[in-house]
Amino acid sequence: MVSIPERPAAQPPHATHDVTNQAPLLAPYDASDDSALLEGLRREGAGWAEDGVRHLGLLAGGREAQEWGELANRHEPELRTHDRYGHRVDEVDFHPSWHHLMRTAVAEGLAGAPWADDRPGAHVARTAGGLVWGQTEAGHGCPTSMTYAAVPALRTQPDLAKIYEPLLTSREYDPELRVPTEKPGLLAGMGMTEKQGGSDVRTNTTVATPTAEPGVYTLRGHKWFTSAPMCDVFLVLAQAPGGLSCFLVPRVLPDGSRNTFRIQRLKDKLGNRSNASSEPEFEQTVAWLVGPEGRGVKTIIEMVNCTRLDCVMSSATLMRKTLVEAGHHARHRSAFGARLLDQPLMRNVLADLALESEAATTLTLRLAGAADRAVRGDVGERAFRRIATAVGKYWVTKRGPAFTAEALECLGGNGYVEDSGMPRHYREAPLLSIWEGSGNVNALDVLRALGRDPETAEALFAELALARGADARLDTAVTGLKRQLAETDQAGARRLVERMALALQASLLVRHAPHAVADAFCASRLGGDWGHAFGTLPAGADLDTILERALPARD
């Protein structure tokens, strides 16, 4: 007869559910607690905005704002083509959290406000604000970015700018579709690309037909990727009799009637889920000409410069956010007898990520400074901005997906589940390399700038020369870059732009960052003492100093 062992005494029912060795919730935290950010803000002429950026950083890292970001992505926008009675309305409904995020962003000057601010550094202050507030979530940065970018394009048509610019630069958010001039503030969107051409906008087939009223046209066509369809006005490219031209299209006409803006569907995107991206169809859609006929691309080029800067900013923001999440986890999680943050290999990974994040943030603020000075008439900064923004757009956004994947991996399985927030960041990262021209488009734009505007190369090398003699590896890289510049054809454009970006980032860190940061960056990115993945910094790198600088002060 088989004996039955005696059962142990029953354990309390909750014993198997004790939670140990898990990191606490990150929020609340200070999203502005970033030395590279604050130093760059001061250096680029916007030190006067530091108190506001710090206030916004506390707000962004607060539990309420972090929850807004999560809810806005969980409850995605919904398209309503018709009302209950059958009338065509073409409206998109958003979760209240989206409106909370938008209202704060607009009120804090992250949309068009810098164009109405005469203080030097206003555009830098906006960028710094985006670097902290973007740590809530990324999708609502699309309409604020387009609103910011629309102002310089609209200025090519002074009569329209006189009407709309005060509203686009307002800090009032009003989500209702109404007559634009009856609202306290407006948002702007874009309708550039079409299904047959994408970035090759010169192949657009949307037709603009002049009416009897000067400057007024009607549009017929279909746009392929128009984000934020609930914006009040859109800048749209269409073929006029004189060639590809830019037009202002309002959702609601001056008489209160709805303009024809038929939303065929919302895009089912990989990420950026909180933001509605649509395919609108135009049929006798009323539009006002912006700039001369046939000069559509030239009219929007300043808009492109602005939105490309925001792509760099948003990618740097994602890097910073995911680095902070990874560092927070490593600080509180133990494995194999020690905290993750104290283990040499994890410290190497985090320090490598910290270098990449600081380089991205520093370059972002330098580009913002160039933009600020360029719009105030600095010719040299305009030339530098022209090439450096395309270089930064190519490289920083390319680094984003690999960076966020590594940061996610620092959390292990915890990072792979949705409620950690890391999968949302990971899905967001590739967009920033695609939006406003994919990698190839930006690499070719750099070649185009070098060929058409020799002063852009002069401006870039003048910037690099400011660090001459400070690091032998950087000097060697710059010498090689000059040689490569004369030899590169289209097939080698990516290699050239990558080396431009690394040299530019290194020169900024050599000049402005602590020695430990600059030395490790130059050794790995320029000196070849680096592997193919993050966490392969050389043995001599000062990991302690790098991490102490990078990670926010927390218990």
Side-chain angles (χ1 to χ4, degrees):
M1 184 174 180
V2 178
S3 62
I4 299 175
E6 183 178 346
R7 294 181 179 179
Q11 297 295 314
H14 65 276
T16 60
H17 297 288
D18 287 345
V19 178
T20 61
N21 197 28
Q22 291 282 355
L25 188 68
L26 172 62
Y29 75 103
D30 182 358
S32 69
D33 185 7
D34 179 358
S35 296
L37 167 72
L38 296 175
E39 291 168 10
L41 177 73
R42 302 175 198 127
R43 185 171 58 247
E44 297 298 336
W48 51 265
E50 183 170 339
D51 287 347
V53 170
R54 286 180 176 272
H55 165 76
L56 191 57
L58 290 171
L59 192 62
R63 290 181 181 174
E64 183 177 48
Q66 290 293 309
E67 184 178 25
W68 289 344
E70 195 277 326
L71 290 173
N73 282 272
R74 185 193 307 171
H75 303 282
E76 297 177 15
E78 297 181 355
L79 171 63
R80 284 188 299 116
T81 56
H82 297 77
D83 67 12
R84 60 182 289 195
Y85 302 107
H87 302 118
R88 186 97 196 196
V89 292
D90 295 291
E91 294 194 9
V92 179
D93 296 327
F94 292 88
H95 188 270
S97 291
W98 167 271
H99 297 298
H100 294 322
L101 291 164
M102 285 295 302
R103 187 169 290 107
T104 302
V106 173
E108 294 292 334
L110 305 186
W115 299 106
D117 191 338
D118 292 333
R119 289 176 292 183
H123 297 269
V124 178
R126 174 190 175 271
T127 299
L131 284 164
V132 297
W133 184 246
Q135 293 183 43
T136 56
E137 77 93 37
H140 76 290
C142 179
T144 57
S145 177
M146 292 187 298
T147 302
Y148 170 67
V151 173
L154 198 60
R155 285 179 174 178
T156 63
Q157 196 68 37
D159 57 330
L160 293 178
K162 183 178 179 180
I163 298 170
Y164 292 103
E165 183 172 333
L167 298 170
L168 292 169
T169 59
S170 167
R171 292 177 181 244
E172 296 288 331
Y173 172 65
D174 181 350
E176 298 299 321
L177 283 179
R178 295 189 285 128
V179 176
T181 54
E182 296 177 1
K183 296 182 63 173
L186 302 178
L187 294 174
M190 298 185 211
M192 307 298 179
T193 60
E194 296 180 4
K195 52 184 172 287
Q196 77 286 344
S199 295
D200 187 6
V201 294
R202 295 186 187 278
T203 65
N204 281 9
T205 61
T206 297
V207 175
T209 303
T211 68
E213 185 177 346
V216 182
Y217 293 66
T218 58
L219 306 185
R220 185 177 190 274
H222 182 192
K223 292 297 178 179
W224 188 236
F225 224 107
T226 298
S227 285
M230 288 301 286
C231 287
D232 301 284
V233 296
F234 293 80
L235 290 179
V236 172
L237 290 178
Q239 299 288 356
L244 189 67
S245 307
C246 183
F247 296 89
L248 181 74
V249 175
R251 284 295 313 264
V252 180
L253 295 172
D255 64 2
S257 63
R258 294 287 180 96
N259 208 1
T260 305
F261 195 97
R262 298 195 184 104
I263 302 174
Q264 302 304 305
R265 61 172 174 169
L266 299 183
K267 296 290 192 179
D268 187 6
K269 299 174 291 184
L270 169 67
N272 204 246
R273 307 288 293 191
S274 68
N275 175 43
S277 299
S278 67
E279 292 179 34
E281 186 175 85
F282 303 140
E283 182 65 52
Q284 293 297 304
T285 301
V286 179
W288 281 262
L289 182 66
V290 179
E293 269 197 18
R295 305 297 295 276
V297 172
K298 184 174 179 60
T299 299
I300 66 166
I301 195 64
E302 184 68 14
M303 189 175 192
V304 170
N305 283 332
C306 292
T307 49
R308 282 182 176 175
L309 170 59
D310 279 7
C311 288
V312 182
M313 175 190 76
S314 296
S315 194
T317 302
L318 271 178
M319 289 183 186
R320 180 63 188 172
K321 171 65 171 175
T322 54
L323 170 64
V324 170
E325 292 278 7
H328 177 73
H329 178 85
R331 181 173 273 146
H332 292 277
R333 180 83 162 179
S334 296
F336 309 110
R339 285 193 315 165
L340 291 179
L341 187 59
D342 296 331
Q343 301 195 24
L345 188 53
M346 178 59 80
R347 292 180 71 77
N348 196 308
V349 171
L350 291 172
D352 210 351
L353 292 173
L355 291 179
E356 196 75 29
S357 175
E358 176 153 353
T361 296
T362 303
L363 178 56
T364 298
L365 291 166
R366 174 65 184 95
L367 296 176
D372 193 85
R373 291 182 281 274
V375 300
R376 299 175 195 281
D378 189 317
V379 176
E381 288 290 84
R382 184 180 300 123
F384 174 76
R385 177 198 188 195
R386 170 72 180 87
I387 192 167
T389 301
V391 168
K393 165 66 167 73
Y394 172 82
W395 183 242
V396 175
T397 62
K398 272 273 177 271
R399 299 298 289 155
F403 187 106
T404 52
E406 193 68 60
L408 182 155
E409 190 176 326
C410 289
L411 276 66
N414 287 338
Y416 201 67
V417 296
E418 286 294 335
D419 56 9
S420 73
M422 297 296 271
R424 169 158 61 92
H425 303 320
Y426 182 59
R427 289 191 298 269
E428 188 72 29
L431 168 66
L432 299 165
S433 184
I434 296 170
W435 184 35
E436 215 54 84
S438 61
N440 283 356
V441 170
N442 279 270
L444 292 175
D445 191 39
V446 171
L447 290 189
R448 190 177 303 111
L450 293 170
R452 294 180 180 176
D453 305 308
E455 64 272 16
T456 59
E458 296 171 6
L460 178 66
F461 283 107
E463 178 77 14
L464 296 176
L466 296 175
R468 184 185 295 129
D471 189 287
R473 294 158 298 195
L474 175 57
D475 290 344
T476 299
V478 173
T479 299
L481 185 59
K482 290 179 179 177
R483 183 174 57 252
Q484 187 179 1
L485 203 63
E487 302 170 352
T488 298
D489 57 9
Q490 184 181 122
R494 284 188 174 218
R495 180 183 289 265
L496 173 68
V497 176
E498 175 178 325
R499 291 182 176 179
M500 283 181 169
L502 290 173
L504 183 54
Q505 288 182 320
S507 72
L508 290 168
L509 295 180
V510 164
R511 290 156 54 199
H512 304 303
H515 174 74
V517 172
D519 182 65
F521 188 91
C522 289
S524 55
R525 275 67 170 173
L526 299 182
D529 198 356
W530 200 29
H532 294 287
F534 287 106
T536 54
L537 292 176
D542 185 353
L543 306 184
D544 292 346
T545 300
I546 294 169
L547 289 173
E548 184 178 354
R549 174 176 172 80
L551 298 182
R554 295 278 297 194
D555 294 333

